[in-house]
Structures are given as C-alpha cells and as structure tokens.
Amino acid sequence: MPTTHLRHGRTWRAQRTSRSFRAAWATSAAVAVTVSLSMVPTPAAASPEDWNDTAYRGKVEVVRTSTGPADDSVLIGQVFVDANQNGTRDGDEDGLAGVMVTNGREVVRTDDEGGYRLPAFDNMTVSITQPSGYQVPVDEHNIPQFHYNHLPEGSPELRYGGIEPTGPLPSEVNFPVAESETTAADEQSCVMAGDLQTYDEQEIEYARAGAIKDLSDRDDYAGCGTLFLGDIVGDDLSLYPHVKELVGRTNGPARFLPGNHDLDFDAPDAEHSFDTFRAQLAPEYYSYDVGDVHVIALNTVDYPCTAGDDSPEGIEEHCADPEGSPAYNGRLDDDQLTWLEHDLDNVDRDKLVVVAGHIGLLNYADESSSQHQVDQVARVHELLQGRKVVALSGHSHSIENLKAGDDVEGWRELFGVEGLPFPHITAGAISGDWYSGAVGDKGYPTAIGRDGGRPGVVTLDIEGNEFQERFTVTGEPDDVQTQLGINSPSYREWFEEWSDTPAGEAPELDDPLVVDRADLSGGSWLTANFFFGSTGSTVEVGIDGGPVEEATRTQQMEGEAPDVGAEYSDPYAVSQQLVHGGSLADRTMHLWRFDLPDDLDTGQHTAEVTATDSYGREFTDVLEFEVVDRR
C-alpha cells in the first residue's frame, strides 16, 4: 500500500513508477491527524436516541371562526407555553411575554399575556423569534414550525406548486413553545451547512452517505441545530420531500434559508420567486435565539433582479431585462432591510449576532464579482456596528475563514469596504464541487472544491457570546484539517499542458511526490492546504527531524488581488480535478508553501507539518517524498 497509517500521523510515501500509488494519490487526501490544545468545550447534549424520543413536535395553531377577525387589517394571536405539548392553547396555559413577532416588515414584542398585534397584508409570512430557554415545535422531519404564510389566493401557477390558497385572514395565529434547558444553555454548538444542492436522487444518496450520516452520528448540536445555508436542491424543487427525509435523520432542529437554486424560476416576479421554498421549508428570512446568541437567517438572492440606487457597478447591466432574460443578484429587498433594522433594534447589544445568508455579504472567491456578493454590504455592516458579529454564507463552494481586518482588492473597488469589520465565514458545501470526482468506498464523490477544500460543514462552538469556529471534513474526525502536496516544475508543466482541457481528460500526474535535481534547482515547494486556516494561523515544517521553519501563506489578504495560476494551486487537488473532473484549485486564501532546499540528499525524506489555527489549536500531518538525480 502507498500509505502508512501511524498512531499520530498519516504519512504519504513517494514510490517511483508505481501506478497503484498514483491512483491512490488521485483518490485519497493527505490529512491532518494530530490535534493539541483545547477547543471551546462541546456542550453536553442529548444522545441521538434522546433527541428523537424527546423532541417537541407540533405545529402553529391557526384559529378560524365563522365570523373571521374583527379587523382584517390586523393579525392577532398569542405566543404560549405549551405545557402539555399538544399544539393547542388550553385554558390553563400561560402566554409568554417579550417574544419577538414579525410580519416580515414590522417587529413587535408580545405583551404580558403573550399577545401580539401586527398589520396584515396579502402575501406575508408571520413568524416568531424563538427565545432562549424555549423550543418551537418541530415536525416529523425536525423542521421548526414557527411561521404562518398568508396568501389568500395562493401562488400563481408554478411548476412546483408554491403556496396553496390560505383563504381569508385567520381570527388568530398562535405560536406554541416548550420550555428547554438545551436552548437556554450558555454553551451551544451551531452547525452551519453550505449547499446541499442535490440535483437528483443519486445525489440525495451521496448526501445521505456523507454529511447526513456524519450529522446523524453527532449529538452536540441539539440546542442550536443545523442551519442549511441555501441551495438546498439544484433547481428541482420536487426533491424537497427527499431533503426532509434526510434531515429527519439529524439530531437537532433543521433550519433552512433560500439559495439561487431554490427558486421558482417560472414565478412572474420576485414576490413569488421563493413560494415553494416557503411552502415546504421556511420563511425567506427570520431569526432565532439560543443561549446568548441571536441568529439571523437572510434571503440574499434577488430574482428576477433589478438594480437599485445602491447597486455596485455592473449590476444595472446584469439585471437589465428581468422579464426577457431574468437573472439573480446578491441583494436584500426593501422589506427585508426594514425588518433587519427592526429585528436588531430588539436585540441586546451584548449578544453574539450570527448573520447568515446564501450569497455572502463578501467573499474571497468572488471578490471582484458584484453579482456574487451583496449590494448593501456596507449598510449591513453599519447596522451591525459595535456588536459582536460573525457572518456565515455558502454559494461559492469554497471554504473561507475570513477574519476582521482581512482585505482584498475587489471589495474596495466594488463596495468601498477596506477591511472586514468582523469575521466572514464561507462554509464550503456539503456537495463540495457539485458531487464531482471519483466516488470513494464510503459512497460519495471526493468533490474537491475550487479552493482545494473538501466537502464538509462548519460548527460554531459558543460559550456565552464568544465563539470558535471549526470545519469538519465529510467522513473524517475534526482533526483532519490539512492536505499536503509538492509543487514542482514538473507539476507546473503538467498543469499548464492540461489545465485548458475539459475536466477529467488529463492523464495522471506521474510520481507526484518525486522531485529530481532539475525540479529542485527550478523551484519546488511543499504545499499545505489548511482548510480553515486564516489570518493568525501558522504552518511550520521540519524535514527529516531538522530545524522547524515557518511556511509562507500564498495569499496575504492585505488588499491585494487574488493570486491565480499553477504557482498558487494545490497540486494534490488539481491532480484529482484534471483527471477525475471538477473545478480547478488554482487559487485559495488558505494555502501555505515551504520551499524545499535545493541541496537535499538523494533518497527518501520526511516532512512533518504542523498547522496552528488562530486559537492555538495544532494539527500535525506528515508527507514523505523522494529526491532522485534524474527522472
């Protein structure tokens, strides 16, 4: 076998002229296996069996009477503590004061008896903000039930159904909650999952065998649950029932926000573009509390898009023909911005605010694209000023752990943002690179992303209003954090020869962990793709037990443009992508390089690589390579 598994390391050995080695190198990842130093304590949580046995299941109580509401311009109702958990407000059950309720524009708090009054209008979604210490009910698929869609005539005719006619305004809409020690706890683990994005039932099975199995095996997130960050499916909204069945296997509430592949593309206007999503999964935008955390789930997709006065350059042309050639853009509509302001006005300033959307406020992979970031990012930053905040997103199918102060050229030019005011995290994707690449023995594709990252999910481990983020590679323990390779002239020549061909048509790269004298004199270096590496992280390398030296990050995030090309690529990732299909990992903000000495002796060498994140957590990986005189 070409790999040797050690107790404290995974070692990659160079074997010349070994086709079995080359095939293995193209279908397996060099991974980190040793972790030291403490993480934020993982909260005690119910076992998987306990969650399914004890989860509070129910639905919103919609009350209709023969006379209807006294005033059909106002919706009334109560938030109540559902002591017997039957979903109905019985006479002896108390209302809950101080709960935030919204119609998607205004936000009010319930009175001493749990009552609320909100202006009513057609096509509104009324929802509550789950308060810490309480749990809204979940359905049989673990999807929280905390909202009511009011659309009297129903959706226009849509391929995937949209919202059925709801009829006249109900007399009351009452929201049940149950007391919960789990959501009250200061310690929470919140799973943030990017782009499930299944296009067919085969990809549903890939997700089931991969990330969903991982989540079903975990029991640390019952309080906060999982927030799926949009692109729940890949345009085929008939797959939503399959997704529901998947999340029914997880061990906590499963929440969703919409992405650009969750659209009703046949909707006549933006008002109805997410009707099927709303009918099946969740409101377009909403918030919820756990512990000392306020989570805001945004809809950052505008379709069919139209440019606003605050849109950056390029959007007016991109969105010029919403009827004849509709397109999407990263943008918040006016109602949502109004709601966001009102929502934040009701949130204590000492809470941690987690703001999540499908299209990121900003990201590195698409830093020069106005469409793939949010028009009003500067306004959102302003609304969050002075708060403790972290932003999460999906969409770009890349892993990006961006810290406060990070800067890149496109943000300045498009949005006038010079340095991030708080962390922005792009959570990667469950689908990785759209389920591309070779299918492994665990039943899902390698799907290595455009940044060289592997599929997985992000977890925010929270204590009070402090957090630490971690990335979990699908099918691997948390200590798998790095991917190693050798970037040599031979590799770069192969890259240049085959990078313009259709993905999956390149021949295998010969002897990827062998360098000869010409390679060393022409510049060869070890690469460490530290998936969740960031500003404040370090990578150190020691060769053959010699002195440990620091590697150099290839992208400094100091306001420069992205560095792109063979010199800035992840050789391990590219060797899979060009041979087995997928995107091309020719840029990333989390790659480090360590120049190999040109006087290395002929023979086998061992490099020990220690990656340390911004919290001091260490991950050690080992790469074995060979030096020869001539290939």
Side-chain angles (χ1 to χ4, degrees):
M1 292 290 291
T3 61
T4 300
H5 296 271
L6 308 177
R7 181 179 179 188
H8 296 298
R10 187 171 185 183
T11 303
W12 288 92
R13 303 181 184 279
Q15 294 184 359
R16 298 192 68 215
T17 66
S18 168
R19 290 192 59 82
S20 63
F21 167 76
R22 292 197 298 272
W25 198 80
T27 57
S28 302
V31 296
V33 294
T34 302
V35 61
S36 66
L37 301 184
S38 62
M39 302 171 69
V40 168
T42 299
S47 69
E49 294 77 20
D50 286 341
W51 164 258
N52 287 319
D53 291 343
T54 64
Y56 168 41
R57 302 194 185 277
K59 60 183 179 181
V60 172
E61 182 184 40
V62 180
V63 179
R64 298 187 183 277
T65 63
S66 58
T67 58
D71 181 353
D72 60 10
S73 68
V74 176
L75 179 67
I76 63 171
Q78 287 183 311
V79 177
F80 66 96
V81 180
D82 189 13
N84 60 7
Q85 299 191 10
N86 68 351
T88 300
R89 186 168 190 263
D90 301 313
D92 58 348
E93 290 177 331
D94 295 330
L96 187 61
V99 178
M100 295 163 60
V101 191
T102 183
N103 59 8
R105 297 175 185 168
E106 291 85 7
V107 175
V108 298
R109 284 192 177 272
T110 55
D111 61 24
D112 291 344
E113 296 181 352
Y116 71 87
R117 296 173 58 87
L118 277 167
F121 51 91
D122 288 351
N123 200 12
M124 69 174 180
T125 297
V126 180
S127 65
I128 68 168
T129 296
Q130 173 187 281
S132 296
Y134 295 88
Q135 172 70 61
V136 298
V138 297
D139 68 7
E140 67 272 25
H141 305 297
N142 297 328
I143 299 173
Q145 304 297 296
F146 63 102
H147 66 284
Y148 170 74
N149 294 316
H150 177 62
L151 188 57
E153 303 300 323
S155 298
E157 185 175 348
L158 298 172
R159 176 181 180 185
Y160 295 108
I163 299 170
E164 293 293 324
T166 61
L169 190 73
S171 298
E172 296 180 15
V173 175
N174 300 324
F175 296 95
V177 297
E179 292 187 25
S180 170
E181 293 182 1
T182 307
T183 69
D186 282 344
E187 295 180 359
Q188 298 286 339
S189 288
C190 300
V191 177
M192 301 286 166
D195 299 63
L196 183 68
Q197 203 165 347
T198 52
Y199 281 86
D200 53 39
E201 292 187 31
Q202 176 62 74
E203 293 183 356
I204 289 283
E205 295 310 309
Y206 289 154
R208 185 194 312 276
I212 298 301
K213 180 181 184 303
D214 288 354
L215 290 173
S216 70
D217 290 341
R218 288 175 56 175
D219 61 4
D220 63 331
Y221 60 99
C224 195
T226 302
L227 179 57
F228 291 87
L229 301 170
D231 282 2
I232 311 305
V233 294
D235 300 330
D236 183 355
L237 309 190
S238 71
L239 293 174
Y240 281 153
H242 295 282
V243 170
K244 290 181 179 182
E245 191 274 330
L246 289 182
V247 301
R249 298 170 176 265
T250 63
N251 295 313
R255 296 179 174 90
F256 303 88
L257 56 78
N260 54 287
H261 289 282
D262 296 308
L263 288 160
D264 286 295
F265 284 106
D266 52 344
D269 50 47
E271 183 179 359
H272 295 286
S273 60
F274 284 109
D275 279 8
T276 301
F277 175 90
R278 292 166 61 201
Q280 295 282 336
L281 298 177
E284 286 185 47
Y285 50 90
Y286 54 94
S287 62
Y288 56 97
D289 288 351
V290 291
D292 203 20
V293 183
H294 183 70
V295 182
I296 299 173
L298 297 175
N299 172 20
T300 55
V301 180
D302 180 27
Y303 177 89
C305 64
T306 54
D309 293 339
D310 51 1
S311 293
E313 185 177 354
I315 291 301
E316 185 172 359
E317 180 179 357
H318 174 72
C319 302
D321 188 6
E323 293 185 3
S325 182
Y328 75 85
N329 176 43
R331 184 172 178 81
L332 307 178
D333 68 20
D334 291 341
D335 281 352
Q336 186 173 187
L337 267 176
T338 298
W339 167 81
L340 179 60
E341 292 183 38
H342 292 160
D343 180 87
L344 287 169
D345 284 344
N346 283 275
V347 177
D348 292 343
R349 296 195 67 84
D350 59 352
K351 279 184 176 286
L352 172 64
V353 177
V354 177
V355 56
H358 178 63
I359 297 176
L361 298 175
L362 295 172
N363 75 2
Y364 164 79
D366 298 306
E367 51 84 38
S368 61
S369 169
S370 51
Q371 175 189 7
H372 298 297
Q373 300 172 94
V374 174
D375 285 3
Q376 305 101 325
V377 56
R379 175 61 178 149
V380 176
H381 284 174
E382 180 184 359
L383 289 173
L384 294 165
Q385 189 173 3
R387 295 181 180 271
K388 187 178 291 291
V389 183
V390 57
L392 276 295
S393 66
H395 187 58
S396 66
H397 293 255
S398 58
I399 306 164
E400 299 174 7
N401 192 3
L402 302 170
K403 298 292 189 177
D406 279 352
D407 196 4
V408 69
E409 185 177 78
W411 303 341
R412 297 177 174 218
E413 294 181 351
L414 288 172
F415 305 104
V417 174
E418 298 188 14
L420 297 178
F422 50 78
H424 288 51
I425 296 171
T426 306
I430 286 177
S431 59
D433 190 67
W434 296 274
Y435 299 105
S436 63
V439 177
D441 57 8
K442 293 183 179 179
Y444 49 84
T446 54
I448 293 178
R450 61 197 290 194
D451 60 332
R454 296 171 63 188
V457 300
V458 168
T459 303
L460 299 181
D461 289 318
I462 298 166
E463 186 170 359
N465 66 359
E466 301 289 337
F467 75 93
Q468 290 184 10
E469 68 280 1
R470 57 184 161 105
F471 181 76
T472 304
V473 175
T474 299
E476 303 285 0
D478 281 343
D479 56 8
V480 175
Q481 293 293 310
T482 56
Q483 182 167 274
L484 307 181
I486 298 289
N487 189 315
S488 67
S490 297
Y491 159 74
R492 295 192 290 276
E493 290 172 8
W494 176 82
F495 177 104
E496 296 296 347
E497 181 177 359
W498 295 101
S499 60
D500 289 334
T501 62
E505 294 191 3
E508 291 177 356
L509 175 63
D510 286 335
D511 300 322
L513 299 182
V514 174
V515 292
D516 63 13
R517 292 297 163 194
D519 285 327
L520 288 176
S521 63
S524 294
W525 53 87
L526 179 150
T527 61
N529 195 330
F530 188 6
F531 301 137
F532 231 33
S534 66
T535 299
S537 300
T538 61
V539 174
E540 296 179 315
V541 181
I543 296 179
D544 299 331
V548 173
E549 300 179 61
E550 193 164 326
T552 302
R553 189 180 182 189
T554 60
Q555 190 77 55
Q556 295 300 310
M557 301 300 295
E558 295 177 347
E560 74 279 13
D563 293 314
V564 182
E567 185 177 351
Y568 305 100
S569 66
D570 177 340
Y572 171 76
V574 171
S575 73
Q576 290 207 48
Q577 292 163 329
L578 291 184
V579 175
H580 297 285
S583 298
L584 188 63
D586 62 354
R587 75 200 71 187
T588 176
M589 49 75 65
H590 47 76
L591 189 73
W592 275 255
R593 59 178 279 180
F594 180 80
D595 292 341
L596 296 177
D598 57 13
D599 59 352
L600 282 172
D601 293 339
T602 300
Q604 296 282 341
H605 295 273
T606 300
E608 183 171 286
V609 180
T610 299
T612 305
D613 70 12
S614 62
Y615 304 107
R617 298 175 295 197
E618 294 182 354
F619 308 89
T620 298
D621 202 349
V622 176
L623 182 78
E624 290 199 352
F625 62 98
E626 184 181 3
V627 174
V628 298
D629 290 327
R630 181 179 297 177
R631 286 178 177 270

